[in-house]
Amino acid sequence: MSWLARGDTDQPLEPPSEFIIKVQDINDNPPQFVEGPYRASVPEMSQVGTSVTRVTATDADDPVYGNSAKLVYSILEGQPYFSIDPNTAIIKIALHGMDREMREEYLVVIQAKDMGGHMGGLSGTTTVTVTLTDVNDNPPKFSKSKQNFVIPEDLGIGKPGGKVKANDRDIGENAKSTYNIIDGDERDVFEITTDAQTQEGILRLKKPLNFETKKSYTLKVEAANIRFDPNSGAPFKDTATVKIAVEDSDEPPVFSKPTFVLQVDENAPINTVVGTVTARDPDVTGSLVRYFIDRHTDLERQFNVNVDDGKITLAKPLDRETDMWHNITVTATEIRNHSQISRAIVAIRVLDINDNAPEFATEYEAFLCENGKPGQVIQTVSAVDKDDPIQGHYFEYRLIPEMLNNPNFTIKNNGDNSISVLAKHDTFRRQKQEMYFLPIIVTDNGNPPMSSTNTLTIRVCGCSREGIVQSCNVEAYVLPIGLSMGALIAILACIILLLVIVVLFVTLRRHKNKPLIIKDDEDVRENIIRYDDEGGGEEDTEAFDIATLQNPDGINGYLPRKDIKPDLQFMPRQSGGPNGVDVDEFINVRLHEADNDPTAPPYDSIQIYGYEGRGSIAGSLSSLETASSDSDQNYDYLREWGPRFRRLGELYSVGESDKET
């Protein structure tokens, strides 16, 4: 827009004008593939003209003005396999029979040129990577049409005996195959399975092989694809012939039966033949067989087996009531090869014989009310029998002959192998007889019949009017009400205990007050006590005290023996003792201690007592501790002691005169 204005007034001289300026486009921008490079896939063996993918290019020039933005597409690389529509840019298959197994990937270069593809136009390029996807167009194929295997006859059931494989050029699911035996396995001895990882067919045994029966097998094995197009008409499978040679092996003996069932009577004597087991060596060489019993299955050693012919005999008596069945294991071993061992189970049934007498089902104890009525059922009795006859049990009950005419009880058969014991009268009294014993004979129906005598204990009890037992003891009937037998026993025990305590107390009192040994009445009146020890003189008139023999001066110390010098000190004795101790017992104790004194010499010696009386003016009469000899003693003073020592003085005086003479 523009305008002109007056200089002095600044007013427009004419109205404003508008101008439109249009910029004309030129071809200065090449086409560009914004989304490139591209990747695409197409199934192999696709028909010509099959669309693969579409590419798109853009041009920044004006599509309205001229041909600057008009694009034309073409293939620079990738022919003759692919083609492209110049206008729509759709890439298609251009060659028939493109096989993935021959070539899987192709690189296609696409060009986009503006100006309608004419000379002087600008261009741009991109790449398209085309991958051929797999289709199942190849069948499985065995590398060898004939394959051979050698399988030992002792191969275990389910163990692999060989492997076959059919190769498939396809990949993935299209290459997976299954294997089947389509011919040559009439006995159904083999089976073939497919290994999902390796795509191999694994040949396994379904039944044991036997070289002696059949030495070889010829099988026809087929491998077929799991996925295939039925309309393709191609046979997506292949077959191969598998020859199997059975190799002979040293086999263990084979029993005629895996399990033997035998039976024997329970009273059969020792060495009775229970039955026979047989086994043979299936090998061509035919080794001899020896038989043994696995003693882990016959810990009691009830049976033996003949090592040569397999006869099983009885080694110990059998008891059906203890064990009805015996299950043992018999082994068969080749003599030529002891490692070849086979086993068979032998079940031995012990047949029953009638060797047990029937007896009461339990230890019955019946109660009879004093106020019962005649014909009252006292007890229902049944019996049991350890035997198990085929025809079942039937028991016959009867009283022993001595009790058939007893006036108190009778029995009645209930028809179900039990009886009822009935009372004959109502005059039973506890004071007269508290308990009755009724022997009953029970006999079974075996051959021969067995019987036993069982005793039913019947107690007479006091009952209420309703027949409820209240007391069955005579004592409870005669004692006052409220004082039980337990209380009476407790009272009696207390009385006996008190009597024992009183007797012990009296005995101890008598022993304590027992007087000292007295020679005669005259000694008591003169108050003279005789003992084998030196007295204390005339003033020593006290009653005898055992402490005189216990060294009261050394009561707190130990006086050693003075006749020898001990090498080691003996533990001092406890001095003192209770009054009233018997002197004879006391001296025996001291004698025992002296005999066991380790410091004592091995010869008799004098036991010295350091105390010889108190208060005597004469002093000691003993010369044992006197330092001087007998010749230094003067015994004239004995005459001054009175008439009692006169005789003693004369004896010593005579002794001195004899020495002088």
Side-chain angles (χ1 to χ4, degrees):
M1 179 181 292
S2 64
W3 67 87
L4 296 175
R6 188 188 296 269
D8 54 351
T9 61
D10 198 21
Q11 293 292 324
L13 297 178
E14 58 183 23
S17 301
E18 293 184 358
F19 301 91
I20 297 175
I21 302 172
K22 186 175 183 180
V23 180
Q24 185 176 356
D25 183 38
I26 63 173
N27 188 18
D28 58 349
N29 291 285
Q32 294 182 352
F33 292 91
V34 179
E35 299 178 358
Y38 297 87
R39 296 191 67 87
S41 62
V42 64
E44 63 173 332
M45 309 301 291
S46 297
Q47 299 295 325
V48 176
T50 301
S51 176
V52 178
T53 187
R54 180 180 181 178
V55 297
T56 302
T58 60
D59 196 324
D61 292 328
D62 189 359
V64 178
Y65 179 78
N67 294 325
S68 299
K70 185 178 181 180
L71 304 179
V72 176
Y73 298 91
S74 62
I75 294 179
L76 299 180
E77 295 181 16
Q79 294 176 335
Y81 306 106
F82 301 95
S83 64
I84 188 169
D85 187 288
N87 297 317
T88 61
I90 296 176
I91 302 173
K92 300 178 181 180
I93 296 293
L95 184 65
H96 177 72
M98 296 179 66
D99 192 359
R100 184 201 66 82
E101 286 73 31
M102 299 298 295
R103 183 177 177 182
E104 185 176 3
E105 191 173 85
Y106 297 85
L107 183 64
V108 181
V109 179
I110 304 297
Q111 175 185 266
K113 190 175 183 181
D114 58 12
M115 296 299 292
H118 295 295
M119 186 69 67
L122 302 177
S123 65
T125 60
T126 188
T127 59
V128 179
T129 302
V130 180
T131 302
L132 298 182
T133 58
D134 184 57
V135 296
N136 192 12
D137 57 344
N138 293 281
K141 188 70 176 176
F142 285 102
S143 59
K144 295 180 181 180
S145 60
K146 294 183 179 181
Q147 303 190 35
N148 299 303
F149 297 100
V150 177
I151 300 178
E153 67 171 331
D154 58 354
L155 184 68
I157 302 298
K159 298 294 184 180
K163 296 180 180 180
V164 296
K165 185 174 183 179
N167 298 312
D168 195 323
R169 297 177 63 191
D170 296 321
I171 61 174
E173 294 294 325
N174 295 324
K176 291 185 177 180
S177 301
T178 58
Y179 297 86
N180 295 285
I181 300 174
I182 60 176
D183 192 16
D185 190 24
E186 294 81 7
R187 299 187 181 184
D188 197 24
V189 177
F190 299 93
E191 66 177 354
I192 190 167
T193 58
T194 303
D195 189 328
Q197 299 296 327
T198 63
Q199 287 298 302
E200 293 177 318
I202 302 175
L203 202 62
R204 301 178 186 273
L205 284 183
K206 292 176 64 178
K207 295 180 180 179
L209 297 175
N210 192 335
F211 174 81
E212 291 73 25
T213 304
K214 190 174 180 62
K215 296 178 175 59
S216 65
Y217 295 85
T218 300
L219 309 178
K220 190 174 183 179
V221 178
E222 178 187 76
N225 280 148
I226 297 176
R227 296 175 58 181
F228 65 93
D229 185 4
N231 298 323
S232 64
F236 292 95
K237 55 187 176 181
D238 191 20
T239 60
T241 301
V242 178
K243 291 188 176 181
I244 300 173
V246 180
E247 183 182 33
D248 188 22
S249 301
D250 189 7
E251 300 175 89
V254 178
F255 281 94
S256 58
K257 294 187 292 185
T259 302
F260 296 83
V261 179
L262 308 176
Q263 57 187 20
V264 61
D265 292 334
E266 64 175 322
N267 65 340
I270 304 300
N271 296 325
T272 298
V273 177
V274 180
T276 304
V277 295
T278 56
R280 65 177 183 84
D281 183 8
D283 296 325
V284 177
T285 55
S287 173
L288 295 177
V289 176
R290 304 192 71 180
Y291 302 91
F292 302 93
I293 293 178
D294 185 353
R295 291 304 178 182
H296 291 91
T297 62
D298 185 26
L299 297 177
E300 301 295 331
R301 296 183 176 270
Q302 296 275 171
F303 305 95
N304 290 325
V305 64
N306 189 296
V307 295
D308 297 320
D309 57 15
K311 288 184 179 179
I312 299 176
T313 57
L314 194 61
K316 291 183 179 180
L318 298 175
D319 185 6
R320 190 205 66 86
E321 288 70 39
T322 303
D323 288 305
M324 185 182 299
W325 285 91
H326 295 267
N327 295 320
I328 63 175
T329 299
V330 177
T331 62
T333 306
E334 290 184 9
I335 296 179
R336 183 181 57 195
N337 186 358
H338 296 295
S339 63
Q340 296 297 338
I341 302 175
S342 58
R343 290 174 170 79
I345 297 175
V346 180
I348 301 174
R349 181 185 179 186
V350 182
L351 301 179
D352 182 46
I353 64 169
N354 193 32
D355 59 345
N356 289 278
E359 57 186 15
F360 280 174
T362 183
E363 294 184 2
Y364 294 103
E365 185 176 12
F367 299 95
L368 173 63
C369 294
E370 289 181 314
N371 56 354
K373 298 179 180 179
Q376 176 185 356
V377 177
I378 302 172
Q379 180 71 49
T380 299
V381 176
S382 62
V384 293
D385 194 330
K386 294 180 180 179
D387 294 321
D388 187 19
I390 299 176
Q391 67 275 16
H393 290 292
Y394 176 76
F395 301 125
E396 177 187 354
Y397 300 84
R398 68 180 186 275
L399 298 177
I400 62 175
E402 295 82 359
M403 297 292 293
L404 289 177
N405 298 321
N406 81 89
N408 298 316
F409 306 102
T410 185
I411 60 175
K412 182 185 72 172
N413 194 332
N414 296 328
D416 57 354
N417 277 341
S418 68
I419 59 170
S420 297
V421 179
L422 310 177
K424 285 187 174 182
H425 58 82
D426 59 353
T427 59
F428 295 96
R429 294 295 180 268
R430 282 178 289 174
Q431 299 89 336
K432 180 179 179 181
Q433 185 170 346
E434 180 186 4
M435 190 176 299
Y436 294 86
F437 299 99
L438 185 64
I440 300 175
I441 299 175
V442 186
T443 306
D444 61 18
N445 59 333
N447 186 20
M450 301 289 291
S451 63
S452 66
T453 301
N454 301 263
T455 301
L456 176 65
T457 302
I458 303 174
R459 300 176 65 90
V460 181
C461 303
C463 304
S464 63
R465 294 182 179 180
E466 293 79 13
I468 300 174
V469 176
Q470 293 181 335
S471 176
C472 297
N473 297 323
V474 176
E475 292 81 356
Y477 182 82
V478 299
L479 290 174
I481 298 176
L483 192 59
S484 65
M485 179 60 66
L488 291 175
I489 294 174
I491 293 173
L492 182 61
C494 293
I495 294 174
I496 294 174
L497 181 61
L498 290 175
L499 290 175
V500 171
I501 293 174
V502 170
V503 171
L504 290 175
F505 179 76
V506 172
T507 303
L508 291 175
R509 291 286 296 176
R510 289 181 178 178
H511 182 73
K512 184 175 181 181
N513 296 330
K514 185 177 180 180
L516 297 176
I517 299 175
I518 301 175
K519 296 297 182 178
D520 49 35
D521 294 340
E522 182 180 359
D523 293 334
V524 175
R525 287 194 300 270
E526 294 180 359
N527 198 19
I528 297 175
I529 303 301
R530 297 179 59 186
Y531 51 90
D532 296 333
D533 194 18
E534 298 181 4
E538 297 160 337
E539 296 182 10
D540 189 8
T541 59
E542 296 178 359
F544 171 75
D545 187 1
I546 196 170
T548 58
L549 298 178
Q550 296 176 350
N551 191 10
D553 290 339
I555 191 169
N556 294 325
Y558 173 68
L559 283 177
R561 294 176 55 166
K562 298 182 179 181
D563 56 331
I564 62 173
K565 183 177 181 181
D567 294 331
L568 53 93
Q569 293 293 332
F570 181 63
M571 293 301 295
R573 297 189 298 264
Q574 293 292 333
S575 60
N579 293 331
V581 178
D582 186 62
V583 176
D584 183 68
E585 180 182 357
F586 175 80
I587 293 175
N588 288 332
V589 171
R590 286 293 184 263
L591 177 61
H592 177 73
E593 291 178 354
D595 291 338
N596 292 278
D597 187 356
T599 62
Y603 50 83
D604 294 337
S605 62
I606 301 175
Q607 181 69 38
I608 300 175
Y609 295 91
Y611 180 76
E612 296 182 323
R614 298 175 183 272
S616 174
I617 58 174
S620 176
L621 299 179
S622 175
S623 62
L624 296 178
E625 292 185 87
T626 304
S628 60
S629 63
D630 292 341
S631 60
D632 296 335
Q633 296 291 332
N634 186 4
Y635 300 100
D636 294 338
Y637 59 87
L638 294 176
R639 300 176 181 178
E640 300 175 0
W641 285 4
R644 293 185 178 180
F645 295 92
R646 184 179 302 165
R647 180 58 181 168
L648 184 60
E650 293 176 354
L651 291 174
Y652 274 87
S653 298
V654 172
E656 288 187 359
S657 60
D658 292 339
K659 290 179 182 179
E660 292 176 355
T661 307

